[in-house]
Amino acid sequence: MIKTLLAILVAALAIGVLLIPSPEPPQADEVAAVNAPAVAVCPVEEGSGRTTTIGVASGVNGEGRFTAFAAGVPAGSATFSTGESGSAAIPIAEVAPLGTGAGLAELPGQDVAAASVFVGAQTAAVEGCLRTPTQQSLLAGGSTVSGERFQVQLMNPYAGEAIVDLIVQSESGLEAAPQLRGILVPSRSSVVIDLAELLPGRQSLSIAIEVASGNVMTVGRFDAGADGALWHSVAPASDWYVPVPSGGLKGELVVSTGVAAEMTFQVDVYGARGVIEGFREGVVPSRGATSLPLADMELQGASAFRVITTQPAAVFLRDISDAGVAITSGATTTASTWLLPGAGLAPGGRGSAVILNAGLEEASVVLTARRAQSAAKELTVPAGNVVQVPAVEGRANAYTVEGSGDLVALWVTNTDTGKAESIGVPIIDE
């Protein structure tokens, strides 16, 4: 009897197990989206006849803060609002009298960009502030022949110190100055390396900035004659777009690599005849740079170049003439929207936008001057072509380029005694 009851009980339990629904598989917690912080690191200079204004271009109406830092502590700060125009201008003289230094811009959103605008009695320089540190970046375009001064500024806005090596190649070979290795950049400070003092008489300097610990942002500062240039280092990539204004066709493209091996590249050109692929080819020596004089290409009017390399590299536009000095990097992507922070902030508000349409179809574009009363101009850019558009009107804090297709935008600043060229900041479509 007992055995019979046990058998019935076991059978019932088995049936019960079969009737219990299988448990749901474990579900992973929802992963929060990770966005790069909405901050940018900007070089500044206040004194010695130069002053700095930080220009902000934004797709949103919001508030932010700019904090200058030096010697490990904040030296001063100021709040700003982009307002309905989506722009702002922050005079550094109202923040802190820094001399040569740096600052951190806390921006009101991801689709916001900032730029440093240096202005002196005879000089103008404009360049975008840096958003993301990299363990290796490249900087080229400077030289230290007689009358020229090339400085590398290392900026560390973070809580910990950084240690950096500068791997410098010139026409003399790999430079071995001990001051180029193990450079300590204290927290919330910047360090300026004067290559004109360390390596005088060099016609070409290609620099790989390699961060051994911590994080830094790097800009180049170059003076030749009365004018100067400001441009930031870039992470190496294999595909670059470089718009060139009509007045810059006497300049040169500088292709630089940090790879310890010879590298080849191809140059496609965009202009009045559309796109011509394989227009030029060249070779870059190990850890070195190669310059392509644009005058040799016999181009007319605003143009643009696409440089495709067999190893990660960087491409810069170096434009030195009687009109002034300008150096800027190329862009590694196309986009339908570009921010041009600081465009129009130089005295007189003069300048122009150089817009490349690298796509296969005609693009409709709107160029907008951002200020209290924004003004806009509509235009079309044929496929594979480049247009140069004068400043819409008057002084502005920034410009935006919005359109359809695969665009690349650069801003040219002109003053009576100087000029600057600065590549724009793309807004990548999600």
Side-chain angles (χ1 to χ4, degrees), residues 237-414:
S238 299
D239 197 354
W240 291 89
Y241 296 90
V242 187
V244 179
S246 57
L249 293 177
K250 294 182 180 179
E252 54 192 343
L253 292 181
V254 182
V255 186
S256 171
T257 182
V259 175
E262 187 176 87
M263 179 198 77
T264 60
F265 62 89
Q266 171 184 302
V267 178
D268 302 337
V269 64
Y270 300 83
R273 294 175 290 175
V275 57
I276 304 175
E277 297 183 354
F279 189 75
R280 287 286 190 276
E281 293 181 348
V283 176
V284 181
S286 169
R287 290 191 178 275
T290 295
S291 296
L292 296 179
L294 300 184
D296 293 348
M297 299 190 183
E298 299 180 352
L299 301 173
Q300 294 182 349
S303 304
F305 301 89
R306 183 179 184 181
V307 182
I308 303 170
T309 63
T310 55
Q311 295 284 346
V315 181
F316 301 90
L317 172 62
R318 172 184 162 108
D319 180 7
I320 300 177
S321 67
D322 293 340
V325 177
I327 304 174
T328 191
S329 70
T332 58
T333 187
T334 62
S336 59
T337 300
W338 288 78
L339 303 178
L340 301 170
L345 263 177
R350 291 156 42 200
S352 57
V354 183
I355 304 170
L356 160 69
N357 176 8
L360 300 177
E361 297 181 358
E362 182 179 88
S364 298
V365 178
V366 178
L367 176 67
T368 304
R370 299 292 180 179
R371 57 186 183 191
Q373 298 292 327
S374 295
K377 181 175 183 178
E378 297 182 4
L379 59 141
T380 58
V381 187
N385 216 311
V386 184
V387 298
Q388 184 165 353
V389 189
V392 176
E393 57 180 82
R395 189 177 173 90
N397 298 328
Y399 275 73
T400 55
V401 173
E402 300 169 280
S404 59
D406 302 322
L407 307 176
V408 182
L410 173 140
W411 181 261
V412 182
T413 295
N414 298 112

Side-chain angles (χ1 to χ4, degrees), residues 33 35 44 52 94 111 118 129 171 175 210 263 268 280 283 296-297 348 353 361-362 398:
N35 291 319
V44 300
T52 304
E94 299 179 5
D111 293 346
F118 288 10
C129 301
E171 66 273 13
E175 300 290 351
E210 299 186 351
M263 179 198 77
D268 302 337
R280 287 286 190 276
V283 176
D296 293 348
M297 299 190 183
E361 297 181 358
E362 182 179 88

Side-chain angles (χ1 to χ4, degrees), residues 6-90:
L6 287 173
I8 293 172
L9 179 61
V10 170
L13 289 171
I15 293 171
V17 169
L18 293 173
L19 293 176
I20 295 173
S22 300
E24 292 293 330
Q27 300 296 314
D29 292 337
E30 184 177 352
V31 178
V34 178
N35 291 319
V39 297
V41 180
C42 310
V44 300
E45 183 172 349
E46 198 66 30
S48 301
R50 292 183 181 178
T51 187
T52 304
T53 302
I54 304 299
V56 179
S58 174
V60 298
N61 179 347
E63 295 185 349
R65 175 179 292 273
F66 186 85
T67 302
F69 56 83
V73 296
S77 66
T79 59
F80 64 88
S81 174
T82 54
E84 295 182 359
S85 72
S87 69
I90 310 155

